[in-house]
Each structure stands twice: as C-alpha cells, then as structure tokens.
C-alpha cells in the first residue's frame, strides 16, 4: 500500500473541523466586542456568548446557568476539585479519587494533600473500572468530594458514573467527573445522570485547543479558582473568549449529531483490535472489550518498548502514542497500566491507537500492514525477545 | 526532540544482533526501567575486532547502542573501558536530558562485556561499573545535564 498519513491519536487531540472554525470566525470580524460592555457591540457579543451557552446546555441536558466556560479541560478539573475541596473544609478535608485519573486530577489532588487534605486513591479492577461499592466503602463522615473520570484516556474504560453519583448523593458528598474523553463520544443527559460537576475539553471533539467548560449543577458549592472582573456570573473571571465558546458549542453540536457514526468507528476499532491480536503473538489488550470508548485501542506487545514503536510508526506516517516511560519524561511507565496490574515491562510495551470519524477502513488496513513488521523488527533487536523465545523452546 | 544523528542510528541501526561464540558479553539495565542493552565482543590480542548489540528500549537506547559499537570497533580493551557516556552523547550530537541515562547504559554495557571477557580468561583485572539502571543509581553525575 502507498505511504499515507494516518492520524490515530485522537485521544490526544483532534483535527479542528472547518465548520467549527467557520462558525467562530465572525467573532473576530464582527462580534469582537467585550461582553461586559454596555454598548451595542458589547451586548451583541454577550448575546452570541449566551447563545453558545444555551446551545451547550440544551445538548447536554442542563440549564444554561450551569455551564461555565473555561480555557481547557485541565482548568475545569483544577477548578472543580480545588473549588469543591475548599468550599467543604467546614465539613471535612477528605477527598476520594481513583488511581487511573488524568494528571490534571491527580496532580491537583497531590497539591491539596500538601495543603493538609487527605486523599483516598481507589484501586481499579483488571479492566480499569472503579466500582460504586468501593466508593461507598471509602466515604467517611469528613469526605466532601468524590471524583472519578467518565472514561479513561489511556485504555478507554467507561466508568459506572450513574451508580457512583447515586452513592455520593445518598451519602451527601459532591461528585465531580472528568469527562474530557467522554463528551461527544458517549450519550449523556446531565440532569438525568445526576453528577454535580463535569468537565469538558473542546479539542477532543474537533474544536480548537483552549476551549472547555465546567458544568456545575445548581446549588453545588464551589469556590473560585480565578478572580477578577466577575465574568461568568462572578465565578470565573477573565474576559470571555466568545469565539471559543461558539466553537465549542458548534463542535458539540456536530459531535452529537454524528454520534451514530461512532458505531462505524467502533467497528473499525474492533477490526484493528482483533487483527492485531491475531497477527502479532505475545500481545494483549489493555482495558475491557465491552464498555470502552468506541475509538480507543490499547495493546501491549511483549519484549519491546513503546517509544521505539511510535517512532517507527511515525516514519510510516502513522501517529500513535504509548504508555512507556520513555515517552513521558520519567522513568515510570503509565500509572494507568500499572494500576490494572501490568508489570513494568508490559506497560513499557504499550501502544495506544485512538480512531475518530475521520479515519477510514483504508487507514485500518494501512496500520495492519505496517504495525506487525515494526513489532517484529524491534523484537529481533531485543535481548528480552531472544531470551523469551529460548525459554519457550526449553519448555 | 532527537538530533538527526540519533534518528539516523535509530532508523538504520549498525551492528545489531548476537555474535556467535563471542569472547565477552555484557548485559545491563532491566525491563522495569524500560531499557536493556546487551553487548557482544569479539576480541583478538586485546583488540575489539567485532562488536554487536541487542537492545530493548526507546529511540535513544537503540541509537546509543548503535553508535557505541562504531566507537568501539578496533579499540584496545583499555581504550574501550575509557568510553564515557559523555563521548557517546557527543557522537550523537546530543541527547534530550531525560535520555541521558541511555548513554550511561552504553558505557556500562561495554564495561560489563569486558569484565565478562576478563573473567572467562582468568585475567585478574577488575572493572568498576554498575548495572546501568538509573532508577536506583546516581553515580553518573551527568544524568541531570
């Protein structure tokens, strides 16, 4: 097959949709006023901003007053956790999360621990799931916040969010979910789902980087992270990025309008998964077969290291990522893969391929044609492979 | 992130594979750290005539192994033992700071292979070295460069 460019790292970021870019462009030429200004162009910008907010609210099944625009998923995560933790100190300083959260959550928790909070990090099962029972068992009288991600960014595991929300409400504890990987990929209605807070990042659904929101259910107490001129109903200051609010609303609209197309993405992912596992010996699927984000695939290849794999895939035009230590500026492999029980060497040999509706069957065929020889090439170089094969021969 | 030299050695690694009946074999690092380097030496009259390697690791680990074999061929054992990780880094036109430990692996693999040769031949010389795993070692002060 002729060399092609295959972007298979959609969990990292997605290609901005031209319709999204087109929708926000008038904010740079016409509606560029400051929404806080009382005169014409300011009020026009305010109307556009609130239109975007209303669109998001109706798509997400909540009230417009519960949507707060932020600069990204990480800001939303920081705000929700820190804001709820600080708002709850009279009741207690105990927080609960899981071992497989994104660093935006884990590092915020670590920072709160340094400030005197106590954090429980829940274990997950072999597929990366947090159980509602584990949450129930961990809640104490001084627990103020539980946060469990909606879907895992590395292995795609979808968490039992509704059940966890129910447990939290039964116990009177605020529940926040980092839904950066899930919004636009999983159908949800926020009022029905019952979470108190939820974060979203636009660049995972074909909006520009720097877009995001935090949903805060009416009545949830959250202190501010960013103080200033009192924008976003006094809760998140900073002159509103109207263009990005419009972009995010449009991207969400497009993602949800085409959510049925994710069945096609899932079918491509399943073909990729089954064929890789069939063609490449000593490989294993990380995460569950069912209850997983439709585009996510994560496989460990024994005896080789992930960064080498991604470099060679890149030389073939394929963009993918790995949970190897080599790729994340540390000597430790992915905390998610270690949490599901993988030994270090198998975590080092992991590869994440994340497909989107932009991908085609030809892309899948191209990956299937190029990946197995790359794995074999690295195995041929690897002392672990030769030693492993010797051992198998002896048995 | 990598220099052209690193990418060249990663994409076109030199001297890969086992040497049958090698005179000295050294293996350093471990799978937990994510890097293992195994070096095979053919030695004739105190001179390295042939040097090959197998590596489990990232781009920098492969490239440092590859360039180390080029630097070592034709050297006497005393010269080979003087190979420093700095020399390996320089020969590759630099490595990103988090990859410096890979060059340490190359330096230590040579030492381990020469030590193995001494041992096999009953030569009473000791080689100072470590297992090349930087998770538990901070004796190479250039790690944080």
């Amino acid at each position: 097959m002729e060399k092609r460019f295959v972007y298979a790292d959609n969990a990292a970021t997605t290609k901005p949709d031209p319709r999204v870019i087109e929708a926000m462009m008038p904010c740079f030429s016409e509606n560029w006023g400051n929404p806080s200004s009382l005169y014409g162009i300011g009020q026009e910008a305010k109307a556009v901003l609130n239109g975007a907010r209303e669109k998001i609210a109706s798509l997400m099944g909540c009230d417009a007053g519960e949507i707060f625009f932020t600069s990204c998923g990480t800001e939303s995560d920081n705000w929700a956790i820190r804001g709820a933790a600080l708002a709850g100190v009279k009741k207690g300083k105990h927080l609960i999360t899981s071992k497989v959260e994104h660093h935006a959550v884990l590092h915020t928790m670590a920072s709160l621990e340094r400030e005197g909070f106590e954090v429980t990090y829940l274990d997950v099962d072999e597929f990366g799931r947090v159980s509602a029972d584990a949450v129930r068992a961990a809640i104490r009288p001084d627990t103020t916040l539980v946060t469990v991600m909606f879907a895992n960014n590395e292995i795609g595991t979808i968490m039992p969010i509704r059940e966890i929300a129910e447990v939290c409400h039964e116990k009177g504890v605020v529940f926040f979910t980092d839904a950066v990987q899930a919004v636009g990929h999983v159908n949800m209605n926020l009022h029905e789902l019952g979470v108190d807070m939820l974060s979203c990042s636009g660049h995972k659904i074909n909006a520009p980087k720097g877009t995001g929101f935090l949903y805060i259910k009416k009545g949830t107490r959250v202190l501010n992270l960013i103080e200033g001129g009192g924008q976003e109903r006094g809760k998140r200051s900073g002159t509103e990025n109207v263009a990005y609010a419009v972009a995010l609303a449009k991207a969400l609209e497009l993602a949800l309008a085409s959510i049925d197309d994710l069945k096609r993405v899932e079918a491509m992912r399943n073909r990729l998964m089954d064929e890789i596992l069939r063609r490449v010996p000593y490989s294993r699927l990380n995460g569950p077969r069912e209850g997983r984000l439709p585009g996510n695939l994560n496989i460990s290849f024994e005896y080789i290291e992930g960064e080498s794999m991604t470099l060679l895939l890149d030389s073939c035009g394929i963009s993918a990522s790995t949970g190897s230590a080599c790729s994340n500026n540390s000597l430790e492999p992915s905390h998610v893969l270690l949490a599901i029980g993988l030994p270090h060497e198998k975590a080092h040999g992991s590869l994440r391929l994340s497909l989107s509706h932009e991908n085609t069957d030809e892309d899948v065929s191209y990956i299937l044609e190029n990946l197995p020889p790359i794995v074999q090439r690295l195995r041929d170089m690897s002392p672990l492979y030769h030693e492993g094969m010797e051992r198998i021969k002896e048995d | 992130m990598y220099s052209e030299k690193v990418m060249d050695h990663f994409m076109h690694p030199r001297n890969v594979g086992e040497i049958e009946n090698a005179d000295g074999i050294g293996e350093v690092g471990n799978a937990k750290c994510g890097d293992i380097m195994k070096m095979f030496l053919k030695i004739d009259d105190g001179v390295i005539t042939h040097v090959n390697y197998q590596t489990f690791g990232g781009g920098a680990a492969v490239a440092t192994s590859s360039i180390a074999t080029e630097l070592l061929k034709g050297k006497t054992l005393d010269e080979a033992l003087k190979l420093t990780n700095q020399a390996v880094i320089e020969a590759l036109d630099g490595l990103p700071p988090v990859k410096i430990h890979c060059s340490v692996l190359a330096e230590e693999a040579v030492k381990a292979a020469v030590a193995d040769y001494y041992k096999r031949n009953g030569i009473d010389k000791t080689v100072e070295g470590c297992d090349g795993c930087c998770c538990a070692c901070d004796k190479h002060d250039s790690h944080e460069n």
Side-chain angles (χ1 to χ4, degrees):
Chain A
M1 201 182 272
E2 209 172 297
K3 184 171 174 178
R4 55 197 285 144
F5 175 68
V6 175
Y7 185 73
D9 202 14
N10 289 280
T13 195
T14 55
K15 184 179 167 187
D17 189 306
R19 293 168 292 179
V20 170
I21 304 304
E22 191 189 358
M24 75 174 190
M25 289 316 276
C27 299
F28 297 108
S29 51
E30 294 152 40
N31 306 310
W32 49 266
N34 186 328
S36 297
S37 301
L38 295 176
Y39 41 77
I41 57 166
Q43 290 303 300
E44 281 163 25
K46 188 174 185 175
V48 172
L49 176 70
N50 285 332
R53 193 189 314 279
E54 276 157 27
K55 184 186 268 182
I56 291 173
S58 85
L59 292 166
M60 297 296 297
C62 65
D63 298 334
E66 297 172 314
I67 296 293
F68 297 86
F69 289 110
T70 64
S71 66
C72 60
T74 293
E75 185 198 325
S76 300
D77 289 348
N78 271 260
W79 180 17
I81 295 168
R82 182 166 283 277
L86 294 177
V89 287
K90 270 194 186 156
K91 182 188 172 200
K93 296 179 94 173
H94 179 237
L95 315 168
I96 297 171
T97 188
S98 84
K99 289 186 176 167
V100 298
E101 300 297 305
H102 189 273
H103 286 128
V105 169
L106 291 178
H107 289 170
T108 302
M109 287 293 182
S111 147
L112 287 166
E113 278 182 296
R114 289 191 291 275
E115 293 163 37
F117 285 83
E118 195 186 332
V119 181
T120 297
Y121 297 90
L122 297 174
D123 285 320
V124 295
D125 69 12
E126 61 183 306
F127 301 114
R129 275 190 216 106
V130 173
S131 79
D133 285 340
V135 172
R136 184 191 301 277
I139 292 177
R140 314 190 311 209
D142 61 340
T143 306
T144 54
L145 172 73
V146 170
T147 174
V148 174
M149 69 204 317
F150 203 116
N152 187 268
N153 50 308
E154 293 188 36
I155 57 175
T157 311
I158 297 172
M159 303 288 190
I161 293 303
R162 186 186 302 271
E163 288 80 352
I164 297 173
E166 274 169 22
V167 167
C168 291
H169 292 158
E170 209 178 285
K171 300 270 187 183
V173 175
V174 173
F175 179 51
F176 161 63
T177 184
D178 163 8
V180 163
Q181 294 288 334
V183 173
H185 298 271
V186 179
N187 271 312
M188 62 180 86
N189 176 300
L190 292 178
H191 283 173
E192 242 174 58
L193 190 63
V195 301
D196 298 305
M197 291 186 284
L198 174 141
S199 61
C200 164
S201 169
H203 78 103
K204 309 292 189 186
I205 51 168
N206 309 97
K209 288 146 203 63
T211 55
F213 70 74
L214 177 65
Y215 158 76
I216 306 177
K217 191 169 80 183
K218 200 176 169 204
T220 309
R221 287 193 58 234
V222 190
L223 296 196
N224 294 353
L225 190 67
I226 298 178
E227 301 288 0
Q231 287 85 354
E232 295 293 279
R233 284 93 72 211
K235 295 186 81 68
R236 199 280 189 182
S237 289
T239 301
E240 302 90 334
N241 192 336
V242 180
Y244 274 18
V246 170
L248 182 52
K250 185 70 183 176
L252 189 60
E253 178 186 58
L254 293 171
L256 293 176
S258 65
I259 201 157
D260 285 343
D261 188 43
L262 290 177
K263 291 198 181 81
R264 182 181 65 86
V265 175
E266 190 168 12
M268 287 193 293
R269 190 276 314 276
N270 288 345
R271 180 178 154 230
L272 191 59
M273 171 173 74
D274 292 339
E275 282 298 307
I276 292 173
L277 294 173
R278 189 177 70 79
R279 293 185 197 191
V280 184
Y282 315 111
S283 56
R284 63 155 272 166
L285 176 68
N286 297 320
R289 270 185 180 268
E290 306 287 330
R292 158 178 213 131
L293 288 173
N296 173 289
L297 179 58
N298 191 309
I299 292 182
S300 279
F301 299 94
E302 223 170 317
Y303 311 120
I304 61 173
E305 189 282 328
E307 189 206 57
S308 291
M309 235 186 313
T310 57
L311 289 171
L312 289 174
L313 284 167
D314 184 38
S315 76
C316 298
I318 300 166
S319 312
S321 70
T322 170
S324 158
C326 271
S327 69
N328 66 8
N329 293 351
S330 78
L331 290 171
E332 277 293 305
S334 146
H335 64 286
V336 175
L337 298 176
L338 295 181
I340 61 169
L342 253 65
H344 278 67
E345 54 270 33
K346 286 188 187 174
H348 285 303
S350 73
L351 182 72
R352 180 186 71 183
L353 295 158
S354 43
L355 305 179
S356 79
H357 56 82
E358 295 260 341
N359 290 112
T360 61
D361 285 328
E362 286 72 30
D363 289 346
V364 171
S365 299
Y366 186 74
I367 297 171
L368 287 171
E369 185 182 285
N370 283 281
L371 178 61
I374 285 172
V375 172
Q376 195 53 48
R377 171 176 168 172
L378 291 170
R379 282 180 174 169
D380 286 342
M381 290 176 69
S382 166
L384 288 179
Y385 178 66
H386 295 283
E387 287 155 16
M389 292 306 104
E390 283 296 318
R391 267 200 306 278
I392 288 165
K393 235 189 279 171
E394 281 163 19
D395 292 344
Chain B
M1 136 171 168
Y2 286 131
S3 70
E4 275 180 37
K5 202 87 173 263
V6 172
M7 283 312 290
D8 176 45
H9 276 269
F10 173 72
M11 293 304 294
H12 312 285
R14 282 66 145 175
N15 309 311
V16 183
E18 191 177 346
I19 298 179
E20 294 219 5
N21 306 315
D23 298 312
I25 300 174
E27 183 171 326
V28 294
N30 66 47
K32 193 172 181 231
C33 290
D35 297 293
I36 296 175
M37 200 178 290
K38 190 171 185 180
M39 199 167 272
F40 303 86
L41 301 179
K42 202 77 187 156
I43 297 162
D44 188 11
D45 203 14
V47 174
I48 297 171
T49 56
H50 213 68
V51 47
N52 270 29
Y53 73 92
Q54 291 175 338
T55 291
F56 162 84
V62 173
T64 52
S65 313
S66 173
I67 198 130
T69 61
E70 290 199 331
L71 294 171
L72 290 166
K73 200 169 176 182
K75 294 279 193 302
T76 66
L77 293 184
D78 287 339
E79 287 168 339
L81 288 172
K82 286 184 191 131
L83 178 75
T84 63
N85 74 305
Q86 279 302 336
V88 170
I89 295 168
E90 276 163 31
L92 286 171
D93 295 338
L95 278 176
V98 292
K99 304 291 183 178
I100 299 296
H101 69 276
C102 295
S103 64
V104 172
L105 220 52
E107 176 187 328
E108 295 301 332
V110 185
K111 288 180 182 168
V114 173
D116 180 53
Y117 170 76
Y118 285 160
K119 199 176 149 201
R120 289 182 193 208
N121 292 280
I123 298 169
D124 188 21
K125 284 189 186 175
T126 51
V127 180
E128 293 275 322
C130 68
D131 68 357
C133 182
C134 294
C135 296
C137 169
D138 56 2
K139 60 195 270 188
H140 294 83
D141 55 16
S142 51
H143 287 193
E144 300 305 325
N145 280 4

